[in-house]
């Protein structure tokens, strides 16, 4: 557990909130720090027993971050689980316990609306990104809790959840009343990308949202249902070429990346990413859904290119994307790479929707951008297209 932690909303979102704990307040682990204004049941909770150090809001009471300092000892919030055997009761429990921000919806990303009912739920028990921790390790000893959480998720949708796992021992026992569509996937990236799996199994649409969730979070839901306490720690991989050695740790959501890498990083300039080398972001805190910390060296001798020089020397027109086998493999065969990149570059929203763009988020295009090198900007194009579609849909 790091001495500091930062509570932030899912990346790319800034929800309007009401603050529950003011500066210098001492709170228990799992205590609500903020609630959504439009859905007061949805809480952002303290990741540990802590003292609130700073609450940062953007204009319009939109949450930026809440920083807390760890307090030794302290209690943990215990929730009433009666009624969780119904859909309405389960929703209330998940939202009040702080579980709701761990869900991710498609299209557009972010956490689901408080009353949204998904067309399908995809549980990811595989992660093929570089340095990613094996979800099976996180589930070791939590098999019963995982099964309990999986059964609970089935209450939130008409379709049995999809469970994506790599070949190996079964994670659920169908003879024990478990109902899930088990999908076996390969070990090479991007076969474990949630968006590509959703596109293949149950494509998301404007009126048919699909949720995805990490298998360890499903086990946490099972523990919450049994004990009334939501586990607030997760298995995190700390790796990268700027470290003396890689390691696995169990730490809290929102952990301080500097604290996690203290005494492990090599001398010299470096940068810390929340996430993998492909899709990670330079951050101070471990983001809500991330289970990787990547430390990469930074070359101080390499001059930073001024934006004006780049604008004067770069061609006004986009460079052509040359189809290749590597680009095809970057989408795992789920999408026609050349046609899809052409549609993204042209901003053809209608054709992109027919091809399945609503199932994707930026991380699903990260490997393609890596293959394209300096010319790779598919993630920015994808986000711009999703925002245009969301604006048109809302209108």
């Amino acid at each position: 557990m790091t001495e500091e932690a930062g509570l932030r909303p899912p990346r790319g979102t800034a929800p309007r909130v009401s603050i529950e704990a003011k500066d210098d307040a001492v709170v228990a682990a799992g205590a609500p720090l903020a609630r959504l204004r439009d859905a007061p049941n949805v809480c952002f909770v303290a990741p540990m027993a802590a003292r609130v150090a700073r609450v940062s809001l953007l204009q319009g009471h939109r949450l930026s971050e809440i920083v807390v300092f760890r307090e030794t000892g302290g209690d943990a919030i215990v929730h009433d689980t009666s009624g969780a055997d119904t859909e309405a009761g389960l929703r209330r429990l998940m939202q009040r316990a702080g579980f709701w921000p761990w869900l991710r919806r498609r299209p557009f990303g972010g956490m689901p609306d408080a009353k949204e009912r998904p067309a399908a739920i995809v549980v990811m028990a595989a992660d093929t990104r570089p340095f990613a921790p094996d979800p099976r390790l996180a589930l070791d000893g939590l098999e019963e809790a995982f099964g309990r959480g999986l059964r609970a998720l089935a209450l939130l949708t008409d379709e049995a959840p999809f469970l994506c796992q790599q070949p190996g021992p079964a994670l659920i026992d169908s003879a024990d009343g478990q109902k899930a569509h088990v999908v076996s996937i390969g070990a090479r990236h991007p076969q474990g990308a949630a968006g590509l799996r959703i596109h293949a199994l149950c494509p998301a649409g404007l009126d048919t949202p699909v949720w995805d969730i990490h298998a360890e979070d499903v086990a946490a839901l099972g523990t919450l249902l049994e004990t009334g306490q939501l586990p607030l720690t997760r298995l995190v991989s700390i790796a990268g070429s700027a470290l003396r050695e890689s390691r696995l740790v169990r730490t809290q959501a929102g952990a301080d990346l500097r604290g996690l890498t203290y005494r492990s990083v090599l001398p010299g300039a470096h940068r810390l990413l929340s996430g993998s080398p492909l899709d990670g972001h330079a951050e101070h805190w471990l983001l809500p859904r991330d289970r990787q910390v990547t430390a990469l060296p930074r070359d101080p001798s390499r001059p930073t290119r001024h934006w004006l020089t780049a604008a004067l020397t770069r061609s006004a027109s986009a460079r052509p994307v040359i189809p290749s086998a590597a680009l095809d493999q970057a989408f795992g065969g789920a999408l026609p790479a050349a046609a899809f990149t052409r549609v993204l570059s042209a901003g053809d929203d209608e054709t992109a929707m027919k091809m399945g763009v609503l199932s994707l988020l930026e991380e699903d295009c990260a490997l393609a951008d890596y293959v394209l090198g300096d010319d790779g900007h598919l993630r920015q194009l994808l986000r711009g297209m999703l925002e245009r579609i969301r604006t048109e849909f809302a209108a």
Side-chain angles (χ1 to χ4, degrees):
M1 304 291 285
T2 58
E3 293 299 317
E4 301 178 38
L7 180 68
R8 302 190 63 183
R11 185 173 179 81
T13 64
R16 297 178 69 246
V17 298
S18 300
I19 299 301
E20 294 292 308
K22 297 183 179 180
D23 291 0
D24 209 39
V26 177
V27 295
L33 300 179
R35 299 177 184 269
L36 290 187
R37 287 204 164 194
D38 298 333
N41 276 342
V42 179
C43 298
F44 296 92
V45 303
M48 56 187 176
R51 183 180 298 274
V52 179
R54 183 179 72 250
V55 177
S56 299
L57 298 176
L58 303 175
Q59 187 176 8
H61 293 275
R62 296 187 178 275
L63 179 61
S64 174
E65 69 176 12
I66 301 175
V67 179
V68 296
F69 295 153
R70 185 165 70 96
E71 287 281 320
T72 56
D75 298 326
I77 297 296
V78 179
H79 299 273
D80 180 11
T81 60
S82 61
D85 54 346
T86 65
E87 179 183 353
L90 178 63
R91 282 178 179 269
R92 284 194 299 270
L93 176 63
M94 294 168 65
Q95 292 168 5
R96 291 174 179 173
F99 184 89
W100 205 253
W102 297 354
L103 296 167
R104 181 172 56 182
R105 80 181 301 272
R106 296 161 192 262
F108 312 130
M111 62 182 174
D113 183 79
K115 298 180 180 179
E116 182 176 275
R117 185 175 177 84
I121 298 177
V122 177
V123 177
M124 297 303 300
D127 194 341
T128 54
R129 287 173 292 189
F131 306 137
D134 186 354
R136 287 182 182 272
L137 293 177
L139 295 177
D140 187 27
L142 298 174
E143 292 79 8
E144 291 186 7
F146 178 71
R148 191 181 305 111
L150 200 60
R151 286 192 296 271
L153 289 178
L155 295 174
L156 303 178
T157 179
D158 295 330
E159 184 75 24
F162 291 89
L163 173 59
C164 298
Q165 65 172 67
Q166 292 178 357
L171 293 175
I172 60 173
D173 185 1
S174 57
D176 192 30
Q178 293 284 3
K179 294 182 179 179
H181 302 293
V182 179
V183 181
S184 182
I185 62 176
R188 294 183 60 182
H189 196 60
Q191 292 172 317
L196 299 181
R197 299 282 63 79
I198 290 173
H199 173 69
L201 297 171
C202 46
L206 294 175
D207 298 320
T208 53
V210 177
W211 300 352
D212 72 275
I213 184 171
H214 194 277
E216 187 179 12
D217 292 338
V218 177
L221 176 60
T223 302
L224 170 64
L225 292 170
E226 181 184 21
T227 65
Q229 291 184 338
L230 179 66
L232 296 169
T233 61
R234 58 190 52 187
L235 189 67
V236 175
S237 166
I238 302 176
S241 54
L243 294 177
R244 291 187 172 90
E245 61 180 1
S246 301
R247 58 196 179 109
L248 290 174
V249 300
R250 182 161 290 280
T251 189
Q252 74 272 43
D256 180 12
L257 301 192
R258 298 168 304 176
L260 290 177
T261 56
Y262 182 64
R263 297 185 183 275
S264 298
V265 71
L266 293 169
H270 61 277
R271 57 195 181 108
L272 298 176
L273 307 180
S274 177
S276 77
L278 288 176
D279 57 12
H281 300 274
E283 296 285 350
H284 192 143
W285 317 108
L286 184 67
L287 294 181
R289 288 180 51 89
D290 286 344
R291 284 171 164 80
Q292 292 180 253
V293 176
T294 306
L296 299 176
R298 178 186 289 139
D299 187 359
S301 64
R302 184 177 179 179
T304 302
R305 200 177 186 191
H306 193 273
W307 66 268
L308 180 59
T309 303
L312 293 174
T313 57
R314 185 176 63 238
S315 172
S317 58
R319 296 183 183 181
V321 174
I322 301 175
S324 64
L327 188 59
D328 287 333
Q329 293 175 8
F331 288 103
L335 292 166
F340 184 68
T341 53
R342 188 182 305 117
V343 166
L344 275 183
S345 300
D348 187 349
D349 300 348
E350 184 176 352
T351 303
M353 290 171 65
K354 294 178 181 178
M355 296 182 71
V357 73
L358 295 180
S359 298
L360 305 182
L361 294 176
E362 291 91 326
E363 66 183 45
D364 303 310
C365 296
L367 184 57
D369 271 350
Y370 176 79
V371 169
L372 294 174
D374 292 339
D375 297 332
H377 53 282
L378 298 182
R379 284 176 287 182
Q380 293 88 339
L381 293 174
L382 174 63
R383 175 45 57 186
M385 177 174 287
L386 290 176
E387 292 302 324
R388 285 197 307 271
I389 296 172
R390 173 153 52 184
T391 302
E392 294 172 4
F393 177 66

